[in-house]
Amino acid sequence: MEEVKQQVVAMPRIGDKAPEFIASTTQGEINFPSDFKGSWSILFSHPADFTPVCTSEFMTFASMEDKFNEANCKLVGLSVDGLYSHIAWLRTIKEKIEWNGMKDVEVMFPLIDDIKMEVARLYGMIQPNEDTTKAVRAVFFVDPEGVIRAIIYYPLSLGRNFDELYRVLIALQAADEFGIATPADWRPGDDVIVPPAGTSAKAKDRMDGKEEGVECKDWFFCTKKIDKETVMKKVLKK
Ligand code: BEZ
């Protein structure tokens, strides 16, 4: 049997403060997460410039950037390539690549130069049993206080679903704004989960239909309605 390489590496986890770093990017120097305080940010890595899956991802994410910005979220990309490679790749995407109905796509969000792999290692983006010299497709959702709220990892061969990343962003914000949780496959407008009652008296009241708007299937499974407009109004601050 092939020996599995194991390495003990401290990786940031959900609930941790996002590790701080200063880096040069295609949009100048950034200080992460301090420069993004007050807004959500998505820090994501891709394996390499000038590769097809990454190109399809960048075109998709760049095309959706306004939508993420409107939800108070900024995007920050990273790969273990240098600045000149990033600049040349992004220019090639804009000038030459037409794909899936997208063309002339300009990537406006910063792409970090991490040729020394310092940030990638800090964030556990190098996963040696997948690849020792490339970052996996990691996605860190960081809240306005600089706390990591969700992490998703994909292998090199699998392009991400950016609608899902948007769904996660909205669900995290909805959970904060309304003090609720979101069930499987939730989308704005679907019923949300009401947190546990806390006391048996309150749970009984809920079961008896005494808490307005709350519907219980059993003591541990209570939902309520929040319409899509109400959710999006909070998230988009409109
Ligand atoms: C790609 O983005 O196409 C890719 C990058 C690294 C390994 C495999 C695929």
Side-chain angles (χ1 to χ4, degrees), residues 126-142:
I126 304 292
Q127 306 202 353
N129 288 333
E130 176 72 347
D131 199 299
T132 51
T133 60
K134 292 182 181 68
V136 295
R137 300 181 197 279
V139 188
F140 288 83
F141 294 80
V142 179

Side-chain angles (χ1 to χ4, degrees), residues 3-21:
E3 192 189 338
V4 177
K5 285 174 269 166
Q6 297 289 2
Q7 245 184 312
V8 180
V9 205
M11 286 167 60
R13 293 167 295 194
I14 292 175
D16 290 355
K17 276 271 181 200
E20 291 186 26
F21 63 85

